[in-house]
């Protein structure tokens, strides 16, 4: 349980030692375990060693999702939805990768700062243009098809949002780079 807690497997699960947990708690721990770095054996015979594939040092980040299902967890900004601009791309969006969490695909298409076109799949990502999101993408770099979004949610960590009616904005000034000053 100590290792599970250190690795984030028990996040969102409350329990008491010696008391059985319910199905919901088991499901939450199984969901949390999908993105925990795998430990693999690197040596053999009398030289057995184990490495945690967390993306640090010389190892790529490997998880149950990436190793078994070719699914990548990304933090990204949704840049554009092609709904209105292109009939043949109506289910696609453009994202800018903010973080690929040291995944095995980070050096491929999902490097930080890359603009990537993905298929929205059954998610609501097309309605999140302008937002930072956490998403899971089905990706197999041996195909020419666009990656498909499987799950997406707004990234609310560390954000302070304020909603201002457009009619209340007096001016917008680009101060430097991506920093804008809004007078209202």
């Amino acid at each position: 349980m100590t290792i599970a807690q250190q690795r984030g497997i028990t996040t969102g699960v409350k329990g008491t030692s010696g008391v059985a947990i319910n199905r919901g708690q088991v499901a939450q721990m199984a969901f949390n375990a999908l993105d925990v770095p795998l430990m693999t054996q690197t040596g053999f015979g009398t030289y057995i060693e184990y490495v945690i594939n967390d993306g640090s040092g010389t190892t790529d980040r490997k998880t149950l999702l990436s190793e078994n299902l070719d699914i990548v967890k990304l933090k990204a900004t949704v840049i554009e939805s092609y709904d209105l601009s292109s009939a043949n791309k109506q289910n696609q969006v453009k994202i800018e990768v903010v973080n690929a969490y040291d995944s095995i695909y980070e050096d491929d298409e999902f490097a930080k700062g890359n603009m990537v076109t993905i298929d929205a799949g059954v998610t609501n990502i097309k309605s999140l243009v302008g937002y930072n999101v956490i998403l899971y993408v089905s990706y197999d770099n041996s195909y020419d098809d666009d990656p498909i979004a499987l799950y997406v949610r707004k990234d609310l960590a560390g954000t302070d949002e304020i909603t201002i009616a457009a009619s209340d904005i007096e001016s917008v000034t680009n101060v430097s780079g991506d920093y804008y000053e809004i007078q209202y």
Side-chain angles (χ1 to χ4, degrees):
M1 289 305 293
T2 302
I3 298 298
Q5 182 182 17
Q6 289 172 351
R7 299 286 180 220
I9 294 173
T10 60
T11 301
V13 177
K14 303 230 185 293
T16 305
S17 180
V19 178
I21 60 175
N22 63 38
R23 286 183 293 188
Q25 293 167 318
V26 171
Q28 182 64 53
M29 287 194 306
F31 177 77
N32 294 344
L34 292 174
D35 199 43
V36 171
L38 294 175
M39 182 170 45
T40 55
Q41 180 179 333
T42 59
F44 299 96
T46 58
Y47 302 103
I48 295 176
E49 292 182 12
Y50 294 93
V51 173
I52 297 175
N53 297 286
D54 60 0
S56 64
T58 59
T59 64
D60 290 325
R61 182 176 174 88
K62 296 179 182 177
T63 66
L64 288 172
L65 290 174
S66 67
E67 288 301 289
N68 298 308
L69 300 171
D70 293 322
I71 294 176
V72 181
K73 178 182 180 183
L74 300 172
K75 180 176 182 179
T77 303
V78 183
I79 302 296
E80 179 180 2
S81 172
Y82 293 111
D83 266 351
L84 301 175
S85 61
S86 176
N88 61 348
K89 289 187 170 188
Q90 65 184 5
N91 203 39
Q92 295 177 332
V93 295
K94 184 189 291 184
I95 62 169
E96 179 179 3
V97 177
V98 175
N99 190 346
Y101 300 102
D102 296 318
S103 79
I104 59 175
Y105 304 109
E106 185 175 39
D107 292 332
D108 290 338
E109 192 168 3
F110 299 116
K112 181 179 179 178
N114 274 8
M115 298 288 184
V116 181
T117 298
I118 64 170
D119 187 312
V122 296
T123 68
N124 65 336
I125 193 168
K126 292 189 294 184
S127 66
L128 298 173
V129 172
Y131 286 98
N132 287 335
V133 296
I134 301 293
L135 67 150
Y136 290 87
V137 176
S138 176
Y139 177 69
D140 184 346
N141 59 1
S142 63
Y143 294 109
D144 290 334
D145 296 335
D146 289 327
I148 300 172
L150 302 173
Y151 171 79
V152 64
R153 69 173 170 81
K154 284 184 188 176
D155 180 25
L156 301 177
T159 60
D160 294 321
E161 287 189 20
I162 183 170
T163 302
I164 303 169
S167 59
D168 292 338
I169 296 176
E170 292 178 10
S171 68
V172 177
T173 307
N174 185 343
V175 177
S176 65
D178 292 333
Y179 179 72
Y180 293 87
E181 184 177 284
I182 300 172
Q183 297 292 321
Y184 59 98

